[in-house]
Structure formats: C-alpha cells, structure tokens
Amino acid sequence: MNMHSSNAATAEEAIAAQEALPPLTNEEATQVAMSNTLLTPRFYTTDFDEMDAIDVSSVRDEWDVLIGQMKADPNKGHFKKNEDWDTVDWDGMEPKLKAEFIDFLISSCTAEFSGCVLYKEMKRRGSNKDITELFQLMARDEARHAGFINDALREAGIAVNLGFLTQAKKYTYFRPKFIYYATYLSEKIGYARYITIFRHLEAHPEHRFHPIFKWFCEWCNDEFSHGEAFALLLKTDPKLTQTWANRMWIKFFLTAVFSTMWVRDHQRPEFHKALGVDPKWYGQEVFRKTSEISKQVFPMTLDIDHPRWEPTLNRMQDANVQIAEGRKQGGVAGWAKRMVGSAKAGFAFVSLLTIPVEKNAVPDSPRLEPAY
C-alpha cells in the first residue's frame, strides 16, 4: 500500500513512506545535513530514564487538553502538494538564490528530523504513558515536516536520505534540562520564524517565489504546540526556572539560540532579498515574538533593544565570515584566520551575555494559543 508521509499516523510510517520513493542522487544533500558545526542542526541524545520519570500531575488539566488537541491531528494530510502547489522553475532560478534556498531547505529538513529522532527514541525507550504518548505525537509531526521538505527538494533533483542520517550523523549528549531549554526555544522560535514569513508573504504575495511558504501557517502551529508541551514539562519542576544557576542557563540558551539565528540568516542574503525581507528587521521581529511568548515559562527576556545588542550580533556575523574565509583558504594562514575569527566570535558572545536581562513574572498557567 502506498502511503504519503502527510497521512502517516507515526514517525515510523512517515519515514517508511519517504524511503519507498524512487531513489535520487542525494549524496551532496545528505552530506550537508551530516555536517556538524555551531550553525548546523544537530542530533541529540539524553538521559531517557530521567525524562521517563517526569510526573505531569501538577499540570494535568493543561496537559490533557494539549494531548487531546494533538491526538485530534488537525494537520493530517496537510503536508503534501495539491492544486495550490505552483510549478517551480528550478533551472531558471537565479543561481545564488537557488543555492541559498536549497541550503535553507536542507537545514530545515535536518532540524525537523533531528526533533523526530529524539522524540522517537524517547517513545521507544520510555514506559511513562504520558511522556511516551507526547513524544510519539511530536515525532509524527516532525517526520511529516521533514518528508514535506524532502518532497520539495526532490523537484530540484536532490533529497536527504533520512534513514542514513539516523544511523550515521553524530549525536550530541545534552542533560534533560538542557534538552528542555533548547527544544522549547527551538520550537517557539520556529513558530515565530514561520509565522513572520507567512504573514509577510500574505501581505506581499509577489515575493512568494516558492509554494512551500503557503504551508507555513499550519506548520508553525505544530511548532507552537510542541513548544507548549515543553513549557508544561518545565512547569513540572519549579527549580528548572527558579534557581539562580538555572536562570543563568536560560540566559545562555536564549543568547545562543538568538545569536545563532542571526548569524545563520545573514549567510543567506539572496534568499531574504527574494522574500523582500531585511534580515535585521526579520531577526528583531522574530526575537520580539519569541521573547513575548517565552514569558509563559521563563522569568526573563533578553534586552534586544539594548545599545550593544545589534552591534555585537554584527560582530559575531563578521567573525563568522572570517571563519568561513579561513576554512576556504586552508593551510596555516587559513587556520590562523579561523582561530582569530573564533576568538572574536567568543568575545562577542560573552559581551552579549553581559547585557542585563529584563525580568518578568511567570503566570501560574503557561498555556497559550497562537496569536500572530
């Protein structure tokens, strides 16, 4: 029986649907997805026994509502091409834009599949019904997203080998609380990114150079609900957001996620130009939305209007350019250039960490609904 990943009830079914498609010459795309740098999506592993021991009793009412919404599966069958999918002239696309857009799609596919792999493993290794049910639902959604992006890439004659990626990509160990912080922010900033682009293209459809952007609204709503789940997980243990040490970790992860996005987006000038979006405006708008949302569970937000904020992010971007140039140059001189660039990036990151935060009161119930 032929099944499309958009209709899959589990992550395993979605992955199998992708692997059943005719093979493509996809080594280059898969190698890009395999790379491990500070700016590329990573695969994570953690202490699954500790996560399996989570008790959601303190957030039971909100938890059951959220799980019910996810089990209702409003996006089943959505992530596939239909009559709204316009023909894409890949051969006629401006070469720099094509390269940056393919890089964007591969990076997005890897990030979505990274979540799928982590959630699927938690479901496989856990015995806590609440936790395994949640991660099974989230793995399903992420597998659908990754499959949909792969469908778009196939039109360009490439695809990411998701099965190979699962087995061959290097995994990074994170303690469970770091998984909570990083994944919560990843899902919420993903929502903010997708909805900002979607609303912009609603107002300026002349900049919609690829049909995949039409699917961003439902896509970002999946991201939002996943972030809601991690907000509830954080709420089960007050220490995760209340102790001084953990507040410092929250500040670290906020700074790392925001600065990584800024640098990565500035690597794709033609992509943002085609969208009609200024990367600086886009970055600050996404940071603003994410900061407002994160007040549901984090007791602080970063001061993104501080006089040192944007200039320091730009220094990090300049340092990243120097690192890339050194890598391309090679040899001793290239190595030295990379080391100097890395040092500059490190100093800039520390400078960002010294910007005072803006404190806020955390509500008793963290639950939110998409509002943008």
mmCIF file of all heavy atoms in Angstrom, residues 130 178 261 345:
data_model
loop_
_atom_site.group_PDB
_atom_site.id
_atom_site.type_symbol
_atom_site.label_atom_id
_atom_site.label_comp_id
_atom_site.label_asym_id
_atom_site.label_seq_id
_atom_site.Cartn_x
_atom_site.Cartn_y
_atom_site.Cartn_z
ATOM 1 N N ASP A 130 2.300 9.069 29.813
ATOM 2 C CA ASP A 130 2.149 10.486 29.472
ATOM 3 C C ASP A 130 3.281 10.943 28.555
ATOM 4 O O ASP A 130 3.046 11.618 27.547
ATOM 5 C CB ASP A 130 2.143 11.346 30.741
ATOM 6 C CG ASP A 130 0.882 11.171 31.567
ATOM 7 O OD1 ASP A 130 -0.213 11.165 30.975
ATOM 8 O OD2 ASP A 130 1.005 11.027 32.791
ATOM 9 N N PHE A 178 18.783 20.674 29.721
ATOM 10 C CA PHE A 178 19.266 21.424 28.556
ATOM 11 C C PHE A 178 18.426 21.099 27.322
ATOM 12 O O PHE A 178 18.199 21.968 26.477
ATOM 13 C CB PHE A 178 20.737 21.123 28.302
ATOM 14 C CG PHE A 178 21.653 21.529 29.427
ATOM 15 C CD1 PHE A 178 22.868 20.900 29.607
ATOM 16 C CD2 PHE A 178 21.287 22.544 30.303
ATOM 17 C CE1 PHE A 178 23.718 21.274 30.647
ATOM 18 C CE2 PHE A 178 22.130 22.923 31.346
ATOM 19 C CZ PHE A 178 23.340 22.286 31.517
ATOM 20 N N MET A 261 20.754 32.174 15.191
ATOM 21 C CA MET A 261 19.799 32.506 14.135
ATOM 22 C C MET A 261 20.253 33.734 13.360
ATOM 23 O O MET A 261 20.189 33.765 12.127
ATOM 24 C CB MET A 261 18.413 32.755 14.736
ATOM 25 C CG MET A 261 17.402 33.222 13.698
ATOM 26 S SD MET A 261 15.839 33.767 14.404
ATOM 27 C CE MET A 261 15.509 35.191 13.344
ATOM 28 N N ALA A 345 34.417 35.773 17.749
ATOM 29 C CA ALA A 345 33.045 35.309 17.977
ATOM 30 C C ALA A 345 32.819 35.012 19.455
ATOM 31 O O ALA A 345 31.768 35.338 20.020
ATOM 32 C CB ALA A 345 32.759 34.072 17.134
#
